[in-house]
Amino acid sequence: YYGLDTSGWGYGSPLTDLAGYKMHVGSQPGVWDKVIDVPDPGAAGYVIEGLTSGPKYFMVTAYDTAGNQSGPSNQASKIIP
């Protein structure tokens, strides 16, 4: 399970055209094996099923209704048992 927590993303101006997020997942730092579209701008969490054991790395970008994508979030990691 990796939670997408948007509650602390209060920086800058409010986004009126935010359309969703893309969760990037990989088994090595900075190497993204999978990109998951989360088309709900109000999402407070997301469950990724089927992750294999071992270290996993995560990064999130946001996108707007025009398809523009934000810069990457900080990378997070978790060891899956």
Side-chain angles (χ1 to χ4, degrees):
Y1 173 83
Y2 178 74
L4 171 63
D5 179 9
T6 60
S7 62
W9 295 7
Y11 305 104
S13 302
L15 298 176
T16 57
D17 60 348
L18 180 63
Y21 304 94
K22 293 197 184 282
M23 295 182 64
H24 305 253
V25 183
S27 296
Q28 298 177 33
V31 180
W32 310 117
D33 304 321
K34 181 188 293 190
V35 178
I36 301 166
D37 184 30
V38 182
D40 178 2
Y46 188 83
V47 176
I48 301 172
E49 308 236 356
L51 292 176
T52 57
S53 297
K56 297 296 179 262
Y57 300 86
F58 305 91
M59 183 268 293
V60 178
T61 57
Y63 61 91
D64 64 17
T65 54
N68 299 307
Q69 194 163 324
S70 73
S73 69
N74 289 335
Q75 183 174 275
S77 63
K78 179 168 182 67
I79 296 178
I80 307 299

